[in-house]
Amino acid sequence: MERIGIYGGTFNPPHIGHIRAAEYAVQSLGLSKLLMIPSCISPHKRLPEDSPTPEQRMEMLKLAVGDNDKIEISDLELRRGSTSYTYETVEEVRKLYPNAEILLFMGTDMFLSFDSWKNPDQILQNAALAVFYRGDPGEISKIREKKAFFEEKGAAVYLAENPVTDISSTDLRRMLVFSCAESFLCPGVGAYIRQKGLYGTGKNYQNLSIEELESVVTALLKPNRVAHVLGCRRTAKELAELHGADPVDAQRAALLHDITKALDGGLQLTLCREYGIKLDDFSTNNPKTLHALTGSLVARRIFGENDAVVAAIESHTTGKADMNTLEKIIYVADYMEPNRDFPGVEQLRQLAWTDLTAALKMGLEMTLAMLKEQGREISPESQMALDFLSKKGVEIC
Ligand code: FE
Ligand code: FE
């Protein structure tokens, strides 16, 4: 019997993870054909504003798939228009292939929430489910449970371990703005995106006003980080006015200090590689702390910020020896902005208004104590920063 796969999604943009998963699906489940179907309006995901048109997503998907006679790109959901409900798609595919076994592909999140889709039983009458899962043991037991539940209802469920290291489309859109997405895109897709100026690639991010910078930055942050960054901006401005640093530089550095924080360790390393940066051992082993370095690189290369702003971003997590006023401000503002809440934060706040250097020392000491307690490695820069302040006789009183 013919076996037809359905792989739907927003594909915004399509990336190497989608294509490898598609190829793997064809191979591992012996599909006669896999239909990749871009959704028109997804019921699961609202597309970000100024996303490409559905036709552009379709074009990109065609480029990404290239010549593969087992994979067909279908405009079925785009032609239908409106919200793309899977039960309708599956019914249409069933009409096209009345005698085939139809496999509907999905990731684990979608599978685990399958009950909440529209008309799930109708889907199961026409198709088997094929779930791509990752090797996470916690996840596997949940998936097995759910599989057994559906099978009891008479449905067929296939599991395939997804061997692909994936990137989310959201992170890919960030990487596009930072000009380091190429390794995640199939040949031709990157050029298409740049040619059409999609995902902000056609925008000039240099010389933005502070208000423009704020709106670009907040769109790139994870939503739960926005309040922190805006808090930092306000605090950094106040500290700059009080301690005689440039309030504009302070606000720009504060806005950009966590610009790459959303990227995981692997993406941090990719960014460094794409920017031609060689890393020391500490950074390679602790890629999560890299967001200060990668943030500073993005601030310079993408946003065209000046040396003072770039340096303040670079030292904001670890500190360093002999920091200037702006660097101290960004370090301390990050620690004490109004959304921060931890034992000792009030003392640090009071200190910051009277003695910025003492506040910096307090922040460094607290960080190092916490890292030691957690048995984590301490960055050589932090140790040097603290040693420098101790030698200078800085005291917290
Ligand atoms: Fe940070
Ligand atoms: Fe921060």
Side-chain angles (χ1 to χ4, degrees):
M1 192 184 355
E2 245 192 333
R3 225 180 207 191
I4 304 293
I6 298 177
Y7 182 9
T10 52
F11 304 113
N12 184 34
H15 53 71
I16 221 154
H18 295 131
I19 303 306
R20 289 205 185 132
E23 288 168 352
Y24 180 74
V26 169
Q27 222 181 38
S28 63
L29 291 166
L31 302 182
S32 328
K33 192 179 280 182
L34 178 68
L35 304 173
M36 289 184 87
I37 310 182
S39 57
C40 186
I41 301 167
S42 165
H44 303 291
K45 239 189 248 176
R46 257 191 54 200
L47 292 186
E49 269 173 53
D50 67 15
S51 280
T53 62
E55 291 71 25
Q56 286 173 326
R57 283 190 282 125
M58 183 91 183
E59 285 290 310
M60 286 188 280
L61 194 53
K62 276 184 195 158
L63 287 168
V65 169
D67 296 330
N68 186 328
D69 54 11
K70 295 266 183 182
I71 302 179
E72 187 181 308
I73 297 157
S74 163
D75 63 355
L76 199 142
E77 292 191 355
L78 299 187
R79 269 190 285 118
R80 208 164 62 222
S82 72
T83 303
S84 303
Y85 287 110
T86 303
Y87 79 95
E88 292 177 318
T89 303
V90 170
E91 262 171 20
E92 278 192 62
V93 174
R94 169 54 70 213
K95 277 182 203 145
L96 291 170
Y97 300 95
N99 300 315
E101 182 186 18
I102 295 173
L103 265 57
L104 176 64
F105 283 85
M106 62 188 71
T108 45
D109 290 354
M110 287 293 164
F111 178 58
L112 295 175
S113 65
F114 184 73
D115 294 327
S116 65
W117 293 21
K118 199 164 182 186
N119 301 334
D121 290 336
Q122 222 164 310
I123 296 175
L124 293 175
Q125 278 163 21
N126 285 311
L129 306 184
V131 185
F132 274 130
Y133 68 97
R134 302 259 166 73
D136 172 359
E139 209 169 50
I140 293 168
S141 61
K142 272 196 244 162
I143 294 166
R144 294 238 159 90
E145 238 171 69
K146 201 78 176 183
K147 179 178 188 296
F149 169 79
F150 284 125
E151 282 172 344
E152 235 167 69
K153 288 168 81 174
V157 180
Y158 296 89
L159 299 185
E161 185 167 357
N162 188 350
V164 175
T165 30
D166 211 350
I167 176 174
S168 73
S169 291
T170 312
D171 278 338
L172 182 54
R173 292 193 292 271
R174 293 187 175 108
M175 295 294 265
L176 278 162
V177 173
F178 303 152
S179 275
C180 49
E182 213 53 39
S183 58
F184 300 103
L185 296 169
C186 299
V189 177
Y192 181 92
I193 288 172
R194 282 189 299 276
Q195 189 206 342
K196 305 271 180 204
L198 303 177
Y199 306 107
T201 54
K203 208 168 166 169
N204 180 3
Y205 295 100
Q206 312 249 325
N207 303 315
L208 298 180
S209 71
I210 284 212
E211 300 320 320
E212 288 167 334
L213 184 64
E214 181 178 300
S215 96
V216 169
V217 165
T218 49
L220 287 166
L221 294 171
K222 277 192 181 165
N224 62 4
R225 187 146 297 271
V226 171
H228 163 65
V229 166
L230 298 183
C232 271
R233 177 189 168 181
R234 278 196 307 278
T235 304
K237 178 173 183 270
E238 287 164 10
L239 288 174
E241 282 163 352
L242 185 70
H243 295 293
D246 182 336
V248 174
D249 280 355
Q251 290 176 79
R252 299 187 78 93
L255 282 173
L256 286 164
H257 84 282
D258 278 343
I259 188 70
T260 58
K261 178 97 177 182
L263 307 177
D264 67 14
L267 293 177
Q268 298 287 345
L269 294 174
T270 303
L271 194 147
C272 291
R273 213 174 31 246
E274 295 277 333
Y275 282 19
I277 302 295
K278 284 228 163 74
L279 294 173
D280 59 19
D281 288 349
F282 177 83
S283 302
T284 312
N285 298 332
N286 298 277
K288 277 194 174 166
T289 64
L290 270 177
H291 78 273
L293 173 65
T294 53
S296 74
L297 295 168
V298 164
R300 186 191 298 285
R301 296 188 191 201
I302 306 299
F303 294 94
E305 298 297 334
N306 65 34
D307 291 347
V309 168
V310 170
I313 296 169
E314 193 179 347
S315 60
H316 90 265
T317 49
T318 59
K320 63 179 180 184
D322 202 8
M323 292 164 80
N324 65 29
T325 307
L326 182 66
E327 290 160 354
K328 290 176 192 168
I329 285 171
I330 297 305
Y331 186 97
V332 171
D334 190 23
Y335 233 107
M336 63 171 262
E337 59 86 15
N339 299 284
R340 293 287 199 199
D341 186 16
F342 55 86
V345 70
E346 269 317 318
Q347 195 198 343
L348 187 104
R349 281 185 186 126
Q350 278 170 18
L351 205 53
W353 304 121
T354 53
D355 186 342
L356 184 64
T357 311
L360 166 69
K361 190 173 183 217
M362 187 179 168
L364 283 163
E365 281 178 350
M366 286 166 96
T367 304
L368 264 57
M370 187 192 72
L371 291 173
K372 269 186 197 149
E373 204 184 292
Q374 297 173 349
R376 282 159 64 194
E377 207 180 340
I378 286 166
S379 118
E381 271 77 22
S382 297
Q383 198 55 61
M384 283 193 275
L386 206 50
D387 291 348
F388 180 87
L389 297 175
S390 301
K391 244 187 244 163
K392 284 260 171 190
V394 175
E395 279 184 30
I396 302 164
C397 31

